[in-house]
Amino acid sequence: MTDSWATSGVDLHLAPAGSGGLRRGLTDALRDAVRTGRLAPGTRLPSSRSLAADLGIARNTVADAYGDLVAEGWLTARQGSGTRVADRTVAPPPAAAPRRHAPDRPAYDLKPGTPDLGAFPRTDWLKAARRALTAAPSHALGYGDPRGRPELRTALADYLSRARGVRADPESILVCAGFAQGLRILGAVLRARGTRRIAVESYGLESHRRVLTDAGLATHPLPYDELATDTRALSELAGAGAVLLTPAHQFPMGTPLHPDRRAAVVDWARRTGGLVLEDDYDGEFRYDRQPVGALQGLDPDRVVYLGTASKSLAPGLRLAWMVLPPSLVEECAAVKGSYDTCGVLDQLTLAEFLTSGAYDRHVRSARLRYRRRRDSLVAALDARPPEVSAIEITGIAAGLHAVLRLPPGSERSVVQAAAWQGLALHGLSSYRHERAVAEPLDALVIGYGGPPDHAWAGALEALCRVLP
Amino acid sequence: MTDSWATSGVDLHLAPAGSGGLRRGLTDALRDAVRTGRLAPGTRLPSSRSLAADLGIARNTVADAYGDLVAEGWLTARQGSGTRVADRTVAPPPAAAPRRHAPDRPAYDLKPGTPDLGAFPRTDWLKAARRALTAAPSHALGYGDPRGRPELRTALADYLSRARGVRADPESILVCAGFAQGLRILGAVLRARGTRRIAVESYGLESHRRVLTDAGLATHPLPYDELATDTRALSELAGAGAVLLTPAHQFPMGTPLHPDRRAAVVDWARRTGGLVLEDDYDGEFRYDRQPVGALQGLDPDRVVYLGTASKSLAPGLRLAWMVLPPSLVEECAAVKGSYDTCGVLDQLTLAEFLTSGAYDRHVRSARLRYRRRRDSLVAALDARPPEVSAIEITGIAAGLHAVLRLPPGSERSVVQAAAWQGLALHGLSSYRHERAVAEPLDALVIGYGGPPDHAWAGALEALCRVLP
């Protein structure tokens, strides 16, 4: 029943008697009348007996509703003065919340960093979720180890050793809600150990540098050349307690760290006691040869390996992992444990996904798909008419993005022209450390993983249109 | 094929040729030989031609494997000196990681704070997960709004308004990975706004006070008496910019905040511009009358409402929510967004769980079960022989725990005796603020939600045995 009863001059809009019944309906209606000001502060309410008679309901129901609202502070009940509306100004309705309008979604999105979300293996994931949740002991659903579920840490240790040459003990793995959370934890631990300065690459994600800065660490860019990041420069860098690198596939330039540079960074770490943070964000996606094994295998006591499901599955999972030197485990778990943990259901599901082989199958099919994308990008650039300037494309041996070199001075205008045409893309300059020593290069960082299949051809055409 | 070939004096343990094939097997075997020191630093490897002949495999396979290991830094290839094992000391195997032995699980666990994990609605949850993931657009799996998925914020706004009298706009809700993460975010925002001091209750979780202290806020305990926390004392507390309260069900004492005290805290907030943090951790579980509505309804501009799925479903979900005054939304989202977000799959599933009515059904059946637990706890205490001292039990109108008053001076010995008998429980003193003014009370905080059904009778018996 929906009804509106005029009672002592006040309309009570009683909602249909649902699960809550009459008492609940009356409580809600009275609360609403007070809240909106229809019952003014100080107003004396009819006695429960007379309101009950008016409404044709039991007196107890009214008395209970009054009691509820007194307990909540909307009404007051004083000996001798009856039940009144609490004598406080009615709170104004909250001001409209700041609406964060999602920016108009671009027609085509070639920004790097996101895999093809349309290819998320929904059916296989749900199958794994069912198996994992069915098998999980009840206590797995409680507050847990800050390092993450043991099932997942065991599955990761096995997978990372097999696929990436990582030397991992499940006891030294820390599951976290994305790479940035891992970096935040490491930043806090480094800072607590007295580190004030960390070396980074000349090109990288500004958001990652900000995580480090927020942790109280000053970032210092290492030089970059055709052999990738020059880690030999670490030796001349006084007081850097750590270095953040993307050895398998420099982000965003796309080259692997040269073997001499790999050796140099491990030597530096051993000599100075420094720590190497290895960001292996897309190590699984290498097309023309075997993946380059993780740097961590060279010295698990000095290298922290960081991996993520954000590129291989989906960023929305919020699952990443660190393989820590044993000496860092307790400190990192303490920083993480105090506040932030990851949902266990997704952890258990990913463990099942890894051990059942579904992860390998998914990565293999994704690798094929991304390789085809890359090949068609290269072909599209090759097919441009001979009269336009040639565009050099680099960083294509692996990953989900490529770097397109542009004529000097043209990057900004190309990015702008693309935006006007509804094509979202990033210029290389947005990845450059503000104190990088090399001359700025004009280039585009083209993510070919993101567009859904049906939009890929159109995205490619739009890209070719805006190139000089 | 698993085989061991002696080559140039080195045993290469080739794993069965699996997905990776011969090249992969050879790469792994050589890497392992270098890693373990069987191939010493500086050792010159046979030419690819001669190793290929030794092994009876194609020369290219060997050359590729050498190339992989050079790229990874295990081998070096110099013009004129052939391929050698990199001239660095082999990393010692990592020291055994510190094993965190799970403490022996007690036979019975009556610590408060955990619901009956055995009653987690696995089947209904999986059904909701399937529906949610099937319906979700692909872009939902990407990097998202730091406030959380709009589907969940909309479902929460509806549910909280209906069930808890909260005035919530989905735009002002922030989904977070547990209550503590929400509190950390609020602490950071308050600190950034210049707050240095926050009022808390005399009894509460030490871990929550530590979150505030870590954020740079000094905690100041408000007095506690039979009407629950004395919020009138806020007026005499100079410089407190906020107060953290459990109004519906004081934790752990179990009483609701008296209506006058509810009014006093809202008046204080309006007068001083202070902020009220309302911890509504188990507002759904009230047994003998309607739930006490949320304080937030009295003034959504001055009260932050904090709720969680940890008591109603399971802590392992790591899902909680804040309903923020509109003026705080941007700042809180900025603090959260930079690092820590929650998995979207569980968010979408909870949204489906709420809107389909499965959540209400689950809460109703859990309420019945907990109420039965509570009744049997009361009955067991009543049934104790008349010659032992009577145990007063309080805080039983709601929630998943009760407070058992003990004779003065006996708390510590009772807790100790319980531990010896494999019964885990908490004394009230562990919840007391170190600067609380009231005399310490001897009592036990008994969580009756946690034990699985089959262990409940035994837990109750064990409890009665250790009571004085």
Side-chain angles (χ1 to χ4, degrees):
Chain A
M1 91 201 152
T2 300
D3 211 341
S4 165
W5 289 319
T7 303
S8 323
V10 172
D11 274 349
L12 291 179
H13 304 281
L14 281 146
S19 58
L22 262 181
R23 168 182 173 177
R24 174 66 175 273
L26 181 59
T27 309
D28 288 350
L30 282 167
R31 189 194 293 110
D32 196 53
V34 175
R35 190 179 263 169
T36 55
R38 282 180 288 128
L39 278 172
T43 305
R44 183 173 180 151
L45 273 80
S47 72
S48 55
R49 184 188 303 273
S50 81
L51 182 57
D54 275 5
L55 296 177
I57 60 179
R59 182 184 169 189
N60 269 354
T61 307
V62 178
D64 285 348
Y66 280 9
D68 291 345
L69 294 168
V70 168
E72 293 177 17
W74 298 102
L75 306 179
T76 59
R78 293 274 178 271
Q79 209 70 39
S81 81
T83 304
R84 289 175 184 278
V85 176
D87 199 11
R88 250 163 303 115
T89 53
V90 174
R99 305 266 156 183
R100 313 168 137 233
H101 283 293
D104 286 338
R105 200 167 292 159
Y108 299 113
D109 190 345
L110 292 175
K111 297 196 302 293
T114 303
D116 181 0
L117 299 171
F120 182 80
R122 299 188 187 210
T123 309
D124 286 347
W125 186 264
L126 283 167
K127 252 186 230 161
R130 177 172 300 276
R131 275 197 302 266
L133 186 51
T134 305
S138 288
H139 65 79
L141 303 173
Y143 294 97
D145 191 316
R147 292 174 301 175
R149 286 299 305 167
E151 294 90 338
L152 178 55
R153 289 186 280 117
T154 303
L156 282 169
D158 177 62
Y159 172 76
L160 294 173
S161 148
R162 183 162 55 78
R164 306 292 302 122
V166 171
R167 296 163 74 183
D169 174 346
E171 300 290 320
S172 304
I173 291 182
L174 194 79
V175 177
C176 39
F179 173 86
Q181 190 186 65
L183 194 58
R184 175 174 74 78
I185 292 167
L186 290 167
V189 168
L190 284 168
R191 190 63 171 74
R193 285 182 166 205
T195 298
R196 295 287 178 275
R197 205 176 185 198
I198 181 168
V200 298
E201 299 183 285
S202 282
Y203 295 96
L205 276 178
E206 203 273 325
S207 61
H208 291 175
R209 296 193 288 264
R210 201 167 52 233
V211 169
L212 295 169
T213 314
D214 286 351
L217 301 172
T219 64
H220 184 93
L222 295 171
Y224 179 86
D225 59 25
E226 66 281 357
L227 305 183
T229 295
D230 192 351
T231 52
R232 295 169 307 177
L234 281 164
S235 302
E236 293 126 48
L237 193 60
V243 57
L244 172 63
L245 293 172
T246 47
H249 188 227
Q250 207 286 327
F251 188 83
M253 299 303 278
T255 36
L257 191 64
H258 188 273
D260 292 347
R261 304 280 169 89
R262 288 170 73 102
V265 67
V266 170
D267 286 345
W268 165 83
R270 289 187 185 168
R271 204 171 57 245
T272 65
L275 202 65
V276 184
L277 314 186
E278 176 177 27
D279 175 4
D280 194 43
Y281 63 104
D282 67 358
E284 281 118 340
F285 297 115
R286 192 160 187 95
Y287 307 122
D288 303 322
R289 35 164 291 159
Q290 300 270 358
V292 179
L295 185 67
Q296 190 263 8
L298 291 179
D299 196 338
D301 279 323
R302 302 255 48 95
V303 182
V304 177
Y305 175 90
L306 295 117
T308 176
S310 293
K311 312 295 179 235
S312 56
L313 283 163
L317 288 180
R318 307 316 303 138
L319 281 175
W321 40 88
M322 301 199 278
V323 182
L324 296 162
S327 60
L328 278 177
V329 174
E330 290 283 343
E331 279 159 278
C332 288
V335 169
K336 176 163 191 289
S338 14
Y339 309 121
D340 308 303
T341 39
C342 309
V344 295
L345 301 188
D346 284 339
Q347 291 188 58
L348 294 170
T349 303
L350 179 56
E352 170 66 27
F353 209 71
L354 284 161
T355 50
S356 70
Y359 189 87
D360 291 278
R361 278 196 304 280
H362 170 70
V363 165
R364 263 202 303 281
S365 95
R367 196 186 289 132
L368 268 176
R369 208 166 46 250
Y370 294 138
R371 186 186 175 140
R372 251 183 260 127
R373 288 268 175 103
R374 179 201 66 164
D375 292 346
S376 67
L377 169 63
V378 172
L381 293 178
D382 278 350
R384 296 197 331 141
E387 65 272 18
V388 303
S389 46
I391 300 283
E392 192 195 349
I393 178 165
T394 60
I396 56 171
L400 310 180
H401 69 271
V403 174
L404 272 56
R405 293 286 293 276
L406 297 174
S410 65
E411 179 186 309
R412 181 193 290 261
S413 60
V414 171
V415 172
Q416 191 100 79
W420 284 332
Q421 302 209 17
L423 172 63
L425 41 71
H426 280 176
L428 179 61
S429 57
S430 59
Y431 296 94
R432 189 171 181 273
H433 195 289
E434 53 184 2
R435 281 175 287 113
V437 286
E439 280 298 297
L441 297 172
D442 283 76
L444 299 176
V445 182
I446 297 297
Y448 46 79
D453 273 335
H454 64 82
W456 172 240
L460 213 45
E461 270 176 44
L463 172 65
C464 288
R465 270 200 305 277
V466 300
L467 289 176
Chain B
M1 93 199 149
T2 299
D3 210 341
S4 167
W5 289 320
T7 302
S8 323
V10 172
D11 275 349
L12 291 180
H13 304 282
L14 280 144
S19 58
L22 263 182
R23 168 183 174 175
R24 173 66 176 273
L26 180 60
T27 309
D28 289 350
L30 282 167
R31 190 194 291 110
D32 196 53
V34 176
R35 191 178 264 167
T36 53
R38 281 180 289 128
L39 277 172
T43 307
R44 183 174 180 151
L45 274 80
S47 71
S48 55
R49 184 188 303 272
S50 81
L51 182 57
D54 275 6
L55 298 176
I57 60 180
R59 181 182 169 194
N60 270 354
T61 306
V62 178
D64 286 347
Y66 280 9
D68 292 344
L69 294 168
V70 168
E72 292 177 17
W74 298 102
L75 306 179
T76 58
R78 293 272 176 272
Q79 209 70 38
S81 83
T83 304
R84 290 176 182 277
V85 175
D87 199 12
R88 251 164 303 114
T89 52
V90 174
R99 305 266 156 181
R100 310 168 140 236
H101 283 293
D104 286 338
R105 199 167 292 160
Y108 299 113
D109 189 345
L110 293 175
K111 297 196 301 295
T114 302
D116 181 0
L117 299 172
F120 181 80
R122 298 187 187 212
T123 309
D124 286 346
W125 187 265
L126 283 167
K127 254 187 228 161
R130 178 170 299 275
R131 274 197 303 267
L133 186 51
T134 306
S138 288
H139 66 79
L141 303 173
Y143 293 98
D145 190 316
R147 292 174 301 176
R149 285 300 306 167
E151 294 90 337
L152 177 55
R153 289 185 281 119
T154 303
L156 282 170
D158 177 62
Y159 172 75
L160 295 173
S161 148
R162 184 162 54 77
R164 306 292 302 123
V166 171
R167 296 164 74 184
D169 175 344
E171 300 291 320
S172 305
I173 291 182
L174 195 79
V175 177
C176 38
F179 173 87
Q181 189 187 64
L183 194 58
R184 175 174 74 77
I185 291 167
L186 290 167
V189 168
L190 284 168
R191 189 64 169 75
R193 287 182 165 205
T195 298
R196 295 288 179 274
R197 204 176 186 199
I198 182 168
V200 297
E201 298 184 286
S202 283
Y203 294 96
L205 277 178
E206 203 272 325
S207 61
H208 291 174
R209 296 193 289 264
R210 199 167 54 234
V211 170
L212 295 169
T213 314
D214 286 351
L217 302 171
T219 64
H220 184 93
L222 295 171
Y224 179 85
D225 59 25
E226 66 282 354
L227 304 183
T229 295
D230 193 351
T231 51
R232 295 169 307 176
L234 281 164
S235 302
E236 293 126 48
L237 193 60
V243 57
L244 172 63
L245 294 172
T246 47
H249 188 228
Q250 207 286 327
F251 187 84
M253 299 302 278
T255 36
L257 191 62
H258 188 273
D260 291 347
R261 305 279 170 89
R262 287 170 74 101
V265 67
V266 171
D267 286 345
W268 165 82
R270 290 187 184 168
R271 207 172 53 243
T272 64
L275 201 65
V276 184
L277 314 186
E278 176 176 27
D279 176 4
D280 195 44
Y281 63 104
D282 67 357
E284 281 119 339
F285 296 114
R286 192 159 189 95
Y287 306 122
D288 303 324
R289 34 165 292 159
Q290 301 269 357
V292 178
L295 185 66
Q296 190 264 8
L298 290 179
D299 197 337
D301 279 323
R302 302 255 48 94
V303 182
V304 177
Y305 174 90
L306 295 117
T308 176
S310 293
K311 313 294 178 237
S312 56
L313 284 164
L317 288 180
R318 306 317 302 139
L319 281 175
W321 40 87
M322 302 198 277
V323 183
L324 295 162
S327 60
L328 278 178
V329 173
E330 290 285 343
E331 279 159 277
C332 287
V335 169
K336 175 163 192 289
S338 13
Y339 310 120
D340 308 302
T341 38
C342 310
V344 295
L345 301 188
D346 284 340
Q347 290 188 57
L348 294 170
T349 303
L350 180 56
E352 170 66 29
F353 209 72
L354 283 162
T355 50
S356 69
Y359 188 87
D360 290 279
R361 279 197 303 279
H362 171 69
V363 165
R364 263 202 303 281
S365 94
R367 197 186 288 132
L368 268 176
R369 207 166 48 250
Y370 294 139
R371 186 187 174 138
R372 251 182 260 127
R373 288 267 174 102
R374 179 201 67 165
D375 292 346
S376 68
L377 169 64
V378 172
L381 293 177
D382 278 351
R384 296 195 334 137
E387 64 273 17
V388 302
S389 44
I391 300 282
E392 192 195 351
I393 177 165
T394 61
I396 56 172
L400 310 180
H401 69 271
V403 174
L404 273 57
R405 294 286 294 275
L406 297 174
S410 65
E411 180 185 309
R412 180 193 291 260
S413 60
V414 171
V415 173
Q416 191 100 80
W420 285 330
Q421 302 210 15
L423 172 64
L425 42 71
H426 280 177
L428 179 60
S429 58
S430 60
Y431 296 93
R432 190 168 180 273
H433 195 289
E434 52 182 2
R435 282 174 287 112
V437 287
E439 279 298 299
L441 296 172
D442 282 77
L444 299 177
V445 182
I446 296 298
Y448 47 79
D453 273 336
H454 65 81
W456 172 239
L460 213 45
E461 267 175 45
L463 173 65
C464 288
R465 270 200 305 277
V466 300
L467 289 176

